[in-house]
Amino acid sequence: MEAFDPAELPELLKLYYRRLFPYAQYYRWLNYGGVVKNYFQHREFSFTLKDDIYIRYQSFNNQSDLEKELQKMNPYKIDIGAVYSHRPNQHNTVKLGAFQAQEKELVFDIDMTDYDDVRRCCSSADICSKCWTLMTMAIHIIDRALKEDFGFKHRLWVYSGRRGVHCWVCDESVRKLSSAVRSGIVEYLSVVKGGQDVKKKVHLSEKIHPFVRKSINIIKKYFEDYALVDQDILENKESWDKILALVPETMHDELQQSFQKHHNSLQRWEHLKKAASRCQNNSKNDKCGPWLEWEIMLQYCFPRLDINVSKGINHLLKSPFSVHPKTGRISVPIDLQKVDQFDPFTVPTISSICHELDVISTKEEEKENGAESDIKHRTRDYKKTSLGPFVKVFEQFLENLDKSRKGELLKKSDLQKDF
Amino acid sequence: MQFLGGNRRKLRLADDQRNACYPHSLQFYLQPPSGNISLIEFENLAIDRVKLLKAVENLGVSYVKGSEQYQSKLEAELRKLKFSYRENLGDEYEPRRRDHISHFILRLAYCQSEELRRWFIQQEMDLLRFRFSILPKDKIQSFLKDSHLQFEAISDEDKTLREQDIMASSHSLGGVQLELESVYKIPFADALDLFRGRKVYLENGFAYVPLKDIVAIILNEFRTKLSKALALTARSLPAVQSDERLQPLLNHLSHSYTGQDYSTQGNVGKVSLDQIDSLSTKSFPPCMRQLHKALRENHHLRHGGRMQYGLFLKGIGLTLEQALQFWKQEFIRGKMDPDKFDKGYSYNIRHSFGKEGKRTDYTPYSCLKIILTNPPSQGDYHGCPFRHSDPELLRQKLQAYKIPPSGISQILDLVKGTHYHLACQKFFEMTHNVDDCGFSLSHPNQFFFESQRILSGGKDFKKESVQPETPQSKLSVQRSKDASSALASLNSSLEMDLEGLEELLQ
């Protein structure tokens, strides 16, 4: 893969927005079948331009308008905001108080930095294959809940381009949800609570809610490989002391001793599980059983959501197919059927796909005499690069949206025909 | 219809019609009443319902909601005022009709400001909660249906399928057999308070809610609907107010409950500075007594204390001139330079009397405000002693105030249960030698007023029942009001104003 140099962005972006950005699909998504008048026209976009210039309240009349603008401005970053009561680019002409955010997809942002207290391999903006499993687990847990508990059908998961993933829930009813309900959903999905000053961040009650139970079952599939091997959380005293901080003091001495005798994290974990299952007669909650073990697993593996991203209807979030200015990676959709195989390090960068395009173009020019119009090339260019498969995932998502929409329209028209 | 023997038939038809109008002892007030009503009945219904809601509020403050005493006293109140509450009590038509009409009349009076709406909604919700709690189980489903709530009880098969999950989710189902409980399936967004805390089982966008939890949801629905309705009512109010017959009543009902926040008193200038020391031990609530003592001892008070005490003094009747003299005298005793006082402190005093800056005539702090905002730190003497003092320190203070040990332990128990206003009420009862203080305390100036009333045999300090509101005070009331002072006024002025109302209507 071609190495990415941020200094080349201006040139690369020109090519990207001219030949590679999937405009047709993008418009198809945000237009939502044109069922609601002006839905696309009232959508806010924001651009981050060169030198960190940030402009809000961008809006467009149609796909062609969007294309022209992107090709003119070549933004480093695109954010998507809410659908407003009026065209965002005219918001200054609207009477005070009348310009309101009305609808938006329900979005989630899961960021690896929120796990710094429980990952030993990296910190801050860094990620590696050892800690990426956290994202894998997060996607499985959250997606299951959104689908099975809340009944949400149209969920688009996107790689953020550096250290996390985003989820866009696009069901019609979901776009209309109030801020209070969005907050409530995040609360429902939250289990790890507390900041830096809180050592033990997970406390389970005696009754385990089905959501928590099912999430624990998902974590169980990955825990051994992720926590006990890759992260090696019980490797040495320094690391296992952190686990002991989550366990009643009465157990510490015994565990310290036995940990010394064992050879690896797997053995130590087995021992800890057995010790935890024994009834704790001294402690206040006479919980016999695996609660302690689950609390540790959850603290180390359960997803951490940023409520502020999800609750505001007017919150702006990075757009799919936007470029990450620091890594060059494209924010690509993640195939839900292949979550476990997703590798952020193989996600195409803007430089790599531009390079691929160059190679292909020169080859094609050698074949034809270059009389083909630009447009024909443009509509199929991304397909010829490594971006192609990701656009396919996006198209599948759009197909499902279309099917749903048709179903809804049929239902409505049937109801109207009934007297 | 004029048939032979038609009289009897007519009565029966009317009966059925009457029952059909009001099929339940409680309702969501979805439809406004229609028909004709005499002005007298209109007015009487309004007054009776205000009495009822006021009782609901008082009982909710004096007893734990849902406790035996609360339930029985509230039921007695409803019976006394002849409003509906229970099913199967013979002819229920009249009480239900009274309930229906009076609710809608009060909407007209209570839609006019945020505080009024909040108060009205709170009491109506408590009332609905009570009525729902005594509704027999077999009547619940039909009530829900008639109220257009999309709550359907799920079949037994559906229940068994999900038994484990429902039991594991709902805290209200401790060990109870699920077969005996009804479970309702509702869209998840309608069960916000339940699902956000994972207190209910969710499946495919629906919440499976056991009966006990449905109440919270129903109340939420009610609150949302009533809130919207009040907003709508406020918009159509001008049309109603233009009716000359209704205007005086509605004005009186609403304005009485916004005026009494102790900012304008009929007793301005009736307190002299040399009375303050003795008044502080006789009639001041402990919070102000403590501030006064600290001021006398240290010849100084920090800002929080100056605000809380200064506004209280304004509320008991000190004029601006008196206030300036009072503070200056004390600060000078603390070796402060008179010029420094004039420069630094007098401006603030004048400001709090509305003579400087944006000229807001600040209102004395209510108990709620004192308890919830600006907690005191080292060197401060403001706040609420029941809330902000260490229990041991509080015990010592109460001993110094000569409260008997039994009283002290009662007070400390109330403090432990965070019933700070009840603790202060108990303090009032002990220091004034009465069994029942007879009011629901929510404002320090109310404490003073009630104390003075008892000490002077109830003759002095009687507020005029209809206070002519000067434009300035009305403005300031709206600007600097907070919810609890409206509540304070609602509590203590109600008796007065009801009398005033009844006079007005004669």
Side-chain angles (χ1 to χ4, degrees):
Chain A
M1 226 184 267
E2 206 60 16
F4 170 69
D5 178 8
E8 291 174 6
L9 264 178
E11 281 305 308
L12 293 169
L13 286 170
K14 258 199 218 140
L15 189 57
Y16 182 67
Y17 289 123
R18 221 164 265 286
R19 306 271 297 276
L20 293 164
F21 189 91
Y23 292 103
Q25 292 84 345
Y26 195 73
Y27 178 77
R28 193 176 150 202
W29 170 34
L30 294 174
N31 192 36
Y32 286 102
V35 171
V36 175
K37 197 168 165 222
N38 284 329
Y39 207 71
F40 182 80
Q41 290 73 10
H42 287 188
R43 170 82 66 168
E44 180 193 359
F45 296 85
S46 74
F47 292 161
T48 308
L49 309 175
K50 197 161 165 233
D51 298 326
D52 272 332
I53 300 172
Y54 183 65
I55 44 177
R56 268 193 77 174
Y57 300 112
Q58 305 299 294
S59 58
F60 313 103
N61 289 322
N62 49 41
Q63 179 183 331
S64 159
D65 200 14
L66 171 72
E67 279 187 52
K68 288 202 192 88
E69 203 57 26
L70 285 180
Q71 283 156 10
K72 185 171 106 191
M73 309 286 274
N74 289 311
Y76 274 37
K77 189 166 168 270
I78 307 171
D79 287 338
I80 301 178
V83 175
Y84 282 81
S85 52
H86 304 76
R87 281 162 200 263
N89 62 7
Q90 292 173 0
H91 74 284
N92 285 322
T93 66
V94 179
K95 185 176 82 173
L96 205 64
F99 181 68
Q100 299 286 343
Q102 293 181 324
E103 293 190 18
K104 193 174 73 70
E105 296 73 11
L106 171 63
V107 292
F108 298 93
D109 181 352
I110 308 179
D111 190 329
M112 203 72 95
T113 39
D114 292 338
Y115 296 79
D116 280 356
D117 58 318
V118 292
R119 50 176 185 150
R120 300 177 66 205
C121 49
C122 310
S123 70
S124 173
D126 299 323
I127 60 167
C128 72
S129 55
K130 285 193 186 155
C131 50
W132 185 257
T133 318
L134 285 168
M135 293 295 111
T136 308
M137 290 189 281
I139 296 176
H140 281 303
I141 290 172
I142 302 293
D143 197 67
R144 184 214 66 77
L146 294 175
K147 178 176 167 192
E148 295 175 7
D149 297 1
F150 289 99
F152 298 155
K153 297 196 169 51
H154 304 286
R155 315 167 307 277
L156 180 70
W157 286 87
V158 183
Y159 172 54
S160 74
R162 188 159 62 160
R163 60 188 192 211
V165 293
H166 299 160
C167 178
W168 296 76
V169 185
C170 305
D171 300 38
E172 187 186 338
S173 56
V174 175
R175 286 180 263 136
K176 297 181 164 76
L177 287 176
S178 69
S179 180
V181 174
R182 288 167 203 247
S183 290
I185 294 173
V186 175
E187 261 186 74
Y188 177 89
L189 298 170
S190 300
V191 167
V192 180
K193 299 195 177 134
Q196 283 180 334
D197 46 346
V198 176
K199 282 238 155 74
K200 191 164 168 72
K201 298 184 162 77
V202 180
H203 296 272
L204 294 175
S205 56
E206 230 185 291
K207 273 196 192 182
I208 304 285
H209 189 277
F211 165 74
V212 178
R213 187 191 81 233
K214 292 175 191 175
S215 304
I216 292 173
N217 288 340
I218 292 174
I219 292 175
K220 277 189 181 156
K221 294 191 208 154
Y222 299 87
F223 191 72
E224 191 176 301
D225 282 336
Y226 165 71
L228 304 176
V229 176
D230 284 347
Q231 291 292 321
D232 212 354
I233 59 176
L234 296 167
E235 182 190 10
N236 51 35
K237 185 157 185 339
E238 191 190 338
S239 62
W240 74 57
D241 273 350
K242 294 202 182 114
I243 310 283
L244 289 184
L246 310 179
V247 150
E249 278 206 45
T250 50
M251 294 173 64
H252 285 196
D253 288 332
E254 196 276 317
L255 286 172
Q256 287 282 9
Q257 283 184 356
S258 44
F259 280 176
Q260 302 282 1
K261 297 195 197 123
H262 292 295
H263 303 297
N264 56 41
S265 287
L266 278 134
Q267 290 179 351
R268 293 183 192 116
W269 181 249
E270 284 304 312
H271 184 93
L272 197 155
K273 279 204 288 189
K274 287 203 190 83
S277 298
R278 278 180 241 127
C279 281
Q280 302 295 314
N281 291 326
N282 308 348
S283 65
K284 279 185 224 166
N285 320 330
D286 261 34
K287 285 189 269 179
C288 304
W291 281 267
L292 198 54
E293 170 200 335
W294 292 339
E295 283 166 354
I296 298 173
M297 287 170 73
L298 289 166
Q299 182 151 340
Y300 273 76
C301 302
F302 190 89
R304 298 158 184 220
L305 302 170
D306 183 351
I307 190 167
N308 292 312
V309 170
S310 309
K311 75 178 180 193
I313 297 182
N314 52 4
H315 189 98
L316 291 143
L317 186 65
K318 185 149 179 266
S319 167
F321 298 106
S322 186
V323 183
H324 196 292
K326 297 210 174 74
T327 62
R329 300 218 188 260
I330 314 289
S331 287
V332 290
I334 298 174
D335 187 350
L336 275 172
Q337 310 299 323
K338 300 186 187 145
V339 175
D340 290 14
Q341 292 83 355
F342 183 82
D343 180 0
F345 297 99
T346 58
V347 168
T349 63
I350 187 174
S351 34
S352 66
I353 51 178
C354 286
H355 179 76
E356 286 170 20
L357 196 62
D358 274 340
V359 169
I360 295 164
S361 297
T362 41
K363 280 207 191 121
E364 282 183 346
E365 273 164 28
E366 286 163 11
K367 282 193 200 160
E368 305 150 4
N369 24 9
E372 297 273 347
S373 71
D374 242 334
I375 303 163
K376 206 170 168 195
H377 273 231
R378 223 186 297 142
T379 54
R380 283 174 292 162
D381 280 339
Y382 64 81
K383 280 195 188 158
K384 300 171 187 166
T385 66
S386 342
L387 196 57
F390 296 100
V391 179
K392 259 215 174 73
V393 173
F394 191 49
E395 282 170 345
Q396 185 57 55
F397 168 76
L398 296 173
E399 279 296 318
N400 292 339
L401 267 176
D402 275 345
K403 256 189 245 163
S404 264
R405 213 162 18 236
K406 286 206 185 87
E408 278 304 310
L409 287 171
L410 272 171
K411 250 200 263 173
K412 278 193 193 137
S413 68
D414 276 346
L415 282 170
Q416 283 166 353
K417 287 186 191 139
D418 271 53
F419 291 113
Chain B
M1 278 195 212
Q2 297 292 319
F3 295 147
L4 273 172
N7 260 347
R8 238 189 289 154
R9 227 176 285 162
K10 245 205 274 184
L11 272 168
R12 243 183 277 134
L13 270 169
D15 261 342
D16 286 341
Q17 269 181 346
R18 281 149 62 104
N19 287 338
C21 278
Y22 298 116
H24 305 283
S25 58
L26 74 176
Q27 58 163 299
F28 271 146
Y29 311 104
L30 296 172
Q31 291 287 22
S34 58
N36 295 326
I37 180 177
S38 72
L39 204 53
I40 301 228
E41 191 180 4
F42 185 93
E43 291 152 350
N44 286 334
L45 282 175
I47 296 174
D48 281 346
R49 195 175 192 89
V50 172
K51 281 188 185 153
L52 174 65
L53 294 185
K54 195 351 189 61
V56 168
E57 183 191 20
N58 265 336
L59 290 172
V61 155
S62 313
Y63 304 97
V64 174
K65 289 182 203 173
S67 66
E68 245 196 79
Q69 281 180 312
Y70 176 86
Q71 301 281 98
S72 57
K73 286 194 184 229
L74 187 45
E75 181 161 344
E77 200 61 38
L78 280 157
R79 202 181 311 131
K80 188 173 89 183
L81 291 165
K82 304 208 184 66
F83 287 116
S84 60
Y85 55 101
R86 211 178 259 287
E87 305 268 321
N88 302 328
L89 278 185
D91 182 17
E92 273 294 308
Y93 176 72
E94 213 18 66
R96 292 178 190 183
R97 179 180 162 272
R98 282 168 56 83
D99 180 61
H100 183 209
I101 299 178
S102 60
H103 169 91
F104 275 91
I105 297 175
L106 286 197
R107 280 196 193 181
L108 297 172
Y110 284 87
C111 65
Q112 294 176 51
S113 78
E114 200 49 55
E115 284 88 24
L116 290 176
R117 289 187 209 181
R118 225 179 293 165
W119 184 86
F120 182 65
I121 292 176
Q122 180 62 51
Q123 311 322 321
E124 288 283 346
M125 274 179 66
D126 284 347
L127 185 57
L128 185 67
R129 186 187 292 116
F130 167 72
R131 285 171 166 161
F132 194 82
S133 72
I134 57 178
L135 196 58
K137 286 206 169 39
D138 50 338
K139 301 277 190 227
I140 293 181
Q141 190 74 73
S142 60
F143 166 64
L144 291 178
K145 189 154 158 278
D146 291 340
S147 309
H148 306 296
L149 292 170
Q150 310 169 258
F151 301 164
E152 12 162 323
I154 60 175
S155 66
D156 285 328
E157 299 97 67
D158 281 341
K159 238 197 291 176
T160 331
L161 258 163
R162 299 170 175 82
E163 181 159 351
Q164 298 290 350
D165 285 332
I166 297 178
M167 295 289 290
S169 320
S170 301
H171 294 249
S172 63
L173 289 173
V176 170
Q177 283 290 52
L178 200 58
E179 292 137 24
L180 305 170
E181 291 280 317
S182 312
V183 174
Y184 295 82
K185 177 179 165 184
I186 69 176
F188 81 91
D190 291 344
L192 177 59
D193 282 330
L194 286 177
F195 85 75
R196 67 197 294 193
R198 281 197 301 271
K199 296 198 171 72
V200 72
Y201 173 59
L202 287 189
E203 187 189 303
N204 207 26
F206 287 93
Y208 287 78
V209 190
L211 180 64
K212 286 200 185 76
D213 294 329
I214 271 282
V215 182
I217 296 174
I218 290 174
L219 287 171
N220 249 339
E221 274 284 315
F222 178 68
R223 187 217 324 249
T224 316
K225 285 199 168 88
L226 185 53
S227 189
K228 282 198 189 126
L230 287 176
L232 270 170
T233 308
R235 284 213 276 273
S236 12
L237 203 55
V240 172
Q241 280 178 326
S242 63
D243 186 323
E244 288 167 358
R245 302 168 297 170
L246 299 181
Q247 194 189 33
L249 171 73
L250 292 177
N251 277 347
H252 195 97
L253 266 178
S254 60
H255 112 181
S256 331
Y257 306 129
T258 59
Q260 295 303 336
D261 50 11
Y262 302 98
S263 59
T264 50
Q265 293 284 308
N267 53 348
V268 170
K270 285 203 188 145
V271 176
S272 70
L273 290 184
D274 48 12
Q275 287 179 299
I276 293 189
D277 280 323
S278 79
L279 283 175
S280 77
T281 53
K282 281 197 277 186
S283 288
F284 278 15
C287 53
M288 303 303 173
R289 184 167 171 179
Q290 161 178 301
L291 278 164
H292 181 75
K293 182 154 175 274
L295 177 63
R296 287 287 191 230
E297 280 176 8
N298 305 323
H299 311 299
H300 187 268
L301 271 183
R302 286 197 184 162
H303 182 259
R306 293 199 304 272
M307 287 305 288
Q308 185 175 318
Y309 189 38
L311 289 173
F312 169 77
L313 289 174
K314 181 171 80 158
I316 69 172
L318 240 59
T319 62
L320 174 59
E321 290 65 38
Q322 286 177 304
L324 285 167
Q325 190 185 356
F326 174 73
W327 291 98
K328 187 168 182 176
Q329 263 176 3
E330 199 56 52
F331 274 51
I332 287 180
R333 276 193 209 127
K335 311 282 192 251
M336 174 170 289
D337 202 276
D339 285 335
K340 183 173 180 206
F341 178 85
D342 286 331
K343 279 195 202 138
Y345 293 89
S346 69
Y347 177 87
N348 280 327
I349 298 171
R350 295 163 54 77
H351 193 280
S352 62
F353 271 76
K355 303 287 183 234
E356 299 281 0
K358 61 177 171 157
R359 297 180 194 260
T360 315
D361 199 6
Y362 289 97
T363 52
Y365 296 169
S366 63
C367 293
L368 206 62
K369 178 158 182 166
I370 293 173
I371 289 173
L372 292 179
T373 59
N374 192 23
S377 12
Q378 200 62 19
D380 284 324
Y381 295 91
H382 64 266
C384 168
F386 300 104
R387 164 74 180 91
H388 295 120
S389 293
D390 214 21
E392 268 321 298
L393 212 61
L394 182 58
R395 181 193 294 274
Q396 285 175 30
K397 275 188 205 161
L398 294 171
Q399 281 168 344
Y401 291 157
K402 310 258 191 350
I403 309 286
S406 59
I408 294 185
S409 49
Q410 278 180 58
I411 290 177
L412 290 179
D413 276 339
L414 287 168
V415 166
K416 223 195 227 170
T418 74
H419 302 300
Y420 308 116
H421 55 289
L422 291 177
C424 198
Q425 267 174 231
K426 178 77 25 191
F427 177 88
F428 183 97
E429 285 161 12
M430 308 244 80
T431 49
H432 292 74
N433 248 315
V434 291
D435 281 330
D436 187 349
C437 63
F439 61 92
S440 187
L441 179 65
S442 54
H443 201 294
N445 286 87
Q446 180 190 18
F447 187 109
F448 179 82
F449 173 84
E450 296 288 346
S451 169
Q452 285 291 296
R453 190 153 55 140
I454 288 186
L455 293 175
S456 58
K459 288 187 200 127
D460 295 337
F461 288 99
K462 202 169 185 145
K463 291 202 293 277
E464 281 108 40
S465 38
V466 181
Q467 281 211 9
E469 286 230 307
T470 63
Q472 193 203 28
S473 58
K474 193 167 194 173
L475 268 172
S476 66
V477 155
Q478 271 158 1
R479 255 186 274 158
S480 58
K481 198 179 4 218
D482 64 88
S484 39
S485 35
L487 287 185
S489 59
L490 286 163
N491 277 328
S492 62
S493 59
L494 181 57
E495 278 91 31
M496 300 282 206
D497 294 306
L498 283 180
E499 283 162 22
L501 248 180
E502 280 156 348
E503 272 167 31
L504 185 74
L505 303 172
Q506 265 145 29

